[in-house]
Amino acid sequence: MQDWGFWLAVAGVMLAVAATLIRALVKGRHEGATPAEFDIVVYRDQLAEIDRDIARGTLPGDEGARLKAEVSRRLLEADRAAQAQTGARSGRAGMGVIGLIAVLIAGSALLYWRIGAPGYPDLPLSDRFAMAEELRANRVSQAEAEASAPPVTPRTDVDPSFLELMDKLRATMAERPDDLRGLELLARNEAALGNYAAAKEAMARIVAIKGDQAQAEEVATWAEMMILATGGYITPEAEAVLIQALERDPQNGLARYYTGVMFAQVGRFDRTFALWRSLLEQSPPDAPWVAPIRAQMPDVAARAGVNYEMPAAGPALAGPSADDIAAAGEMTEGDRTAMIEGMVAQLGERLATEGGSAEEWARLISSLAVLGRVDEAREIYAEAMARFEGQTVELQGLREAAVTAGVAE
């Protein structure tokens, strides 16, 4: 038997445990005296006391002999009763001990069979790290991962006219491969259609054209398209792009999130935990990576061997929402305007001093437009576009909000 040494050790441990239990139970049985055993002790003391009285002369010899005979008779009866009680109790105790030991051994074996690894050798932490590095070094390439990724299901909810425009855009970009504006549109819309491989190529071209001027967010978006093109697998090429993004901005949330995913995929949950913990605790509650981190963090922390208490979820975005504005419809004109303007002022002051997410800036633009402060909304839109320069997704959201509010075309 290949693992005979392991199972021999297991059997030895089980026998040692069984012996310990038997010894403890037997000791407890002897320490608990039955009524008959207590009577035996009393009768023996009485016999000793009679002998002392006879020796001192306080008890006549014939009377002492009669008393000794009577106590001896009672002692014999108590001894017979004690033996009967002890035998019955020993039988019950023996059956109980056997049953308990059988249950413990069977339960332990079943538990180990379910959650253990019979025959698996000891795996020190250094060996685990070495295995993780080997797995990381032997990952498949981007091309191989894309080839084996599940096919993308075509979207059926797309307007045919949009698909026609996309065909024209692709044809135009084939003729004008260095048109940055066209590449940004192509990358964003290919990603929206689920054509991540095409979006990846467009983002790669954008970063190549911009060179050192490429923003960290653009490089991180390129890496994200690479990852989505493989169905979520992070290849060595995608890791290299993530490193580029972090070199440009070590605090880039998207790159930090996907780097944590990469380490989890190779079994380095300790590094994933370290990356995600700081990212979670530093990010606004509406950041796109917060929800997936919160969903996975308990398992990651457990695998990293850390007892981690998740921080409380942050408050909702500040500023008036569409529901807030709708609810104000029942107020008087003056009260409604005062309420909305107060909320807008608070949001504007916080964004100016502390900054915020693109969604919050978009909300401020929309709120100012509702109040009729169109010129101010245009100024806020221009400021927001400058703050999120190079961040394609955020800029698109800001532009949509501005177009809807009527402050951009």
Side-chain angles (χ1 to χ4, degrees):
M1 183 177 180
Q2 184 178 2
D3 302 319
W4 65 269
F6 168 78
W7 290 113
L8 184 62
V10 170
V13 170
M14 288 184 173
L15 288 175
V17 172
T20 302
L21 290 173
I22 293 172
R23 185 167 60 252
L25 291 172
V26 170
K27 180 180 179 182
R29 176 170 60 85
H30 285 306
E31 290 177 350
T34 65
E37 290 172 338
F38 180 76
D39 290 343
I40 291 174
V41 174
V42 173
Y43 292 146
R44 285 175 177 170
D45 288 342
Q46 289 179 350
L47 287 175
E49 185 65 25
I50 292 172
D51 286 336
R52 285 195 294 272
D53 289 342
I54 294 174
R56 287 196 298 266
T58 58
L59 183 66
D62 55 347
E63 179 67 15
R66 186 184 66 78
L67 290 174
K68 288 180 64 176
E70 177 63 21
V71 172
S72 297
R73 182 184 64 78
R74 294 180 182 179
L75 178 60
L76 290 173
E77 291 178 356
D79 184 64
R80 284 195 293 269
Q83 291 180 8
Q85 293 173 1
T86 301
R89 189 176 65 175
S90 297
R92 292 193 298 271
M95 292 300 295
V97 170
I98 293 173
L100 178 60
I101 293 174
V103 169
L104 288 174
I105 292 177
S108 300
L110 178 62
L111 180 64
Y112 182 76
W113 189 261
R114 291 287 299 274
I115 67 173
Y120 199 75
D122 186 26
L123 195 59
L125 196 59
S126 59
D127 290 350
R128 299 181 190 182
F129 288 167
M131 291 172 62
E133 289 304 314
E134 182 179 0
L135 179 62
R136 180 181 176 187
N138 294 324
R139 286 172 293 169
V140 299
S141 67
Q142 182 73 25
E144 292 173 311
E146 288 185 25
S148 60
V152 177
T153 303
R155 290 182 54 180
T156 59
D157 58 343
V158 181
D159 190 334
S161 61
F162 176 76
L163 295 178
E164 292 178 7
L165 290 174
M166 282 299 298
D167 289 338
K168 293 179 180 179
L169 178 60
R170 290 169 185 142
T172 300
M173 296 313 302
E175 298 174 357
R176 298 159 51 187
D178 294 338
D179 184 343
L180 280 173
R181 178 57 181 163
L183 286 169
E184 290 172 355
L185 288 172
L186 183 64
R188 180 168 62 251
N189 289 299
E190 292 286 23
L193 291 173
N195 300 328
Y196 300 117
K200 171 203 71 175
E201 296 299 334
M203 288 305 306
R205 186 61 185 159
I206 290 172
V207 174
I209 293 173
K210 289 191 174 184
D212 294 339
Q213 300 304 313
Q215 300 294 316
E217 193 67 26
E218 292 174 317
V219 180
T221 301
W222 173 23
E224 183 177 35
M225 293 303 104
M226 296 177 71
I227 295 165
L228 293 176
T230 62
Y233 184 72
I234 301 179
T235 63
E237 294 92 332
E239 180 187 356
V241 176
L242 289 172
I243 292 173
Q244 289 185 43
L246 291 172
E247 287 174 346
R248 284 172 166 80
D249 178 12
Q251 298 303 314
N252 183 270
L254 193 62
R256 290 164 70 190
Y257 169 70
Y258 278 118
T259 301
V261 173
M262 185 272 296
F263 280 119
Q265 289 179 353
V266 299
R268 286 301 303 269
F269 293 97
D270 56 320
R271 301 192 68 175
T272 300
F273 175 79
L275 282 166
W276 281 5
R277 177 177 185 173
S278 60
L279 181 58
L280 178 62
E281 295 174 354
Q282 295 168 6
S283 299
D286 60 318
W289 48 80
V290 167
I293 288 179
R294 281 190 167 276
Q296 301 173 74
M297 197 60 157
D299 181 62
V300 168
R303 291 173 178 267
V306 179
N307 184 15
Y308 179 63
E309 183 176 352
M310 194 86 69
L317 295 176
S321 64
D323 292 338
D324 294 330
I325 297 174
E330 300 177 359
M331 300 180 180
T332 64
E333 183 66 26
D335 290 342
R336 179 169 61 252
T337 302
M339 184 201 78
I340 297 175
E341 286 185 345
M343 299 177 75
V344 168
Q346 290 179 0
L347 176 58
E349 182 179 356
R350 185 171 66 80
L351 293 179
T353 57
E354 302 176 10
S357 67
E359 187 176 354
E360 290 176 305
W361 284 91
R363 178 169 291 183
L364 179 59
I365 294 167
S366 301
S367 300
L368 289 170
V370 169
L371 292 172
R373 295 155 60 179
V374 178
D375 291 339
E376 190 175 347
R378 287 196 181 97
E379 293 177 1
I380 294 297
Y381 173 52
E383 182 181 351
M385 294 293 283
R387 283 178 177 261
F388 291 94
E389 182 182 0
Q391 301 182 33
T392 307
V393 176
E394 286 77 3
L395 291 176
Q396 176 64 17
L398 289 168
R399 178 168 178 77
E400 290 174 357
V403 171
T404 303
V407 299
E409 298 180 357

